[in-house]
Amino acid sequence: MPEQKALYLAEKQGAFALGTAPIYKPGPGEILIRVESVGLSPGDWVIQDLGVLVETYPAILGFDLAGTVEELGEGATRFKKGERVYVIPHLTRNFIQLVVFGGAGSVGQAAIQLLKLSGFDPIITTASLRNADWLRHLGATHVLDRNLSPEELHAEIRNITPEYFTTIFDAAGALETQNLGYDLLASGGTMAAVHPDAVKPEKKVEDKKSFFMFADPNIPQNRKLGNSLFANLTELLENRDFKPNHVEVVPNGLEGIIPALERLKSGVSCVKLVAHPQESA
């Protein structure tokens, strides 16, 4: 059976290692994609560090993939061989929004733009102030310094609006931002965070919810929204209504992903790291 190179997470909370995997044969209604670009996601190192979301190992991770259609399964008629496509592989979980903590990250930038397109106002976000102009360009109405203490951020947000929030999206997911976000929630409000729930138990009350959010358009309750978003994505990009991330391509193909994930874990700002698997030695 033909094989391809693959980057495996060998075991739960283990190390990444380069190996091989059989090339998939698409079944009825399926397509085979030749992957040409892989966007590195915080989810990749979170899964490695915390051992969440994935149950079976060894595992091949990856959340943002782009390439060309290589082969069509029986009855697959929507796409043509050689057509350029973008996909989000299936893992599992849910999506929500309003105050956006961590606005300069890839997820935060997308959230700000979707909030703007959905008519939200104001859109308050936190980020390094060197990225403030770009985030305002994307649609943020207020950019607050992420280096402020939780107490200072609370006061700044209260100066913008005295109202408490029914929805908060924490694209940073840190202990400090989750607890601040929970404090800012109104009765009946909900906060979604991109890392496991870190709200202090003593803060928890029955009428405020917080949960670990992973946006997967493939699960049944998200398919209608996912289909709508991706059906309109090309037009949104062409019209510049939705602006892509600044991109930095990391060298050395699959091997380059391992040090790049360490760099991502340490913190990158306002840039999407992308690897080209076909450049592996």
Side-chain angles (χ1 to χ4, degrees), residues 25 76 116 122 208 268 271 275:
K25 182 71 176 176
K116 179 183 178 182
K208 298 200 309 188
V268 298
V271 66

Side-chain angles (χ1 to χ4, degrees), residues 157-194:
I157 292 171
R158 294 273 59 82
N159 285 335
I160 295 167
T161 174
E163 302 295 327
Y164 282 81
F165 298 91
T166 57
T167 51
I168 289 177
F169 177 41
D170 186 357
L175 174 68
E176 297 81 4
T177 53
Q178 288 196 44
N179 281 277
L180 172 58
Y182 197 81
D183 289 341
L184 291 167
L185 282 178
S187 177
T190 300
M191 177 180 67
V194 297

Side-chain angles (χ1 to χ4, degrees), residues 49-147:
D49 261 23
L50 303 182
V52 296
L53 293 178
V54 174
E55 297 179 357
T56 303
Y57 294 87
I60 299 174
L61 306 185
F63 295 95
D64 305 307
L65 311 176
T68 56
V69 177
E70 178 73 10
E71 186 178 345
L72 302 173
E74 182 182 356
T77 59
R78 182 176 177 183
F79 299 98
K80 299 177 181 178
K81 186 172 181 179
E83 192 170 5
R84 298 170 65 196
V85 293
Y86 165 76
V87 297
I88 297 179
H90 178 52
L91 286 175
T92 37
R93 293 201 191 239
N94 278 358
F95 180 42
I96 208 155
Q97 56 254 50
L98 184 71
V99 167
V100 180
F101 292 111
S106 296
V107 174
Q109 290 182 53
I112 289 168
Q113 294 184 79
L114 292 173
L115 287 167
K116 179 183 178 182
L117 290 170
S118 300
F120 281 88
D121 184 67
I123 301 171
I124 304 168
T125 191
T126 62
S128 170
L129 293 184
R130 68 176 180 272
N131 299 317
D133 288 345
W134 173 247
L135 297 180
R136 292 191 189 99
H137 180 61
L138 296 183
T141 57
H142 301 80
V143 181
L144 304 179
D145 189 350
R146 70 177 185 185
N147 294 314

Side-chain angles (χ1 to χ4, degrees), residues 215-277:
D216 186 346
N218 298 292
I219 58 178
Q221 62 265 39
N222 289 346
R223 277 204 178 186
K224 184 176 180 180
L225 174 63
N227 287 341
S228 174
L229 174 62
F230 288 109
N232 290 284
L233 184 58
T234 298
E235 182 179 354
L236 289 170
L237 289 167
E238 288 176 345
N239 293 339
R240 301 296 291 170
D241 292 322
F242 190 90
K243 300 167 183 65
N245 298 126
H246 301 300
V247 169
E248 178 185 332
V249 177
V250 299
N252 302 322
L254 290 171
E255 296 96 330
I257 291 176
I258 300 173
L261 284 179
E262 287 299 315
R263 179 181 162 197
L264 186 64
K265 181 179 176 182
S266 298
V268 298
S269 183
C270 222
V271 66
K272 182 71 172 178
L273 301 182
V274 172
H276 292 161

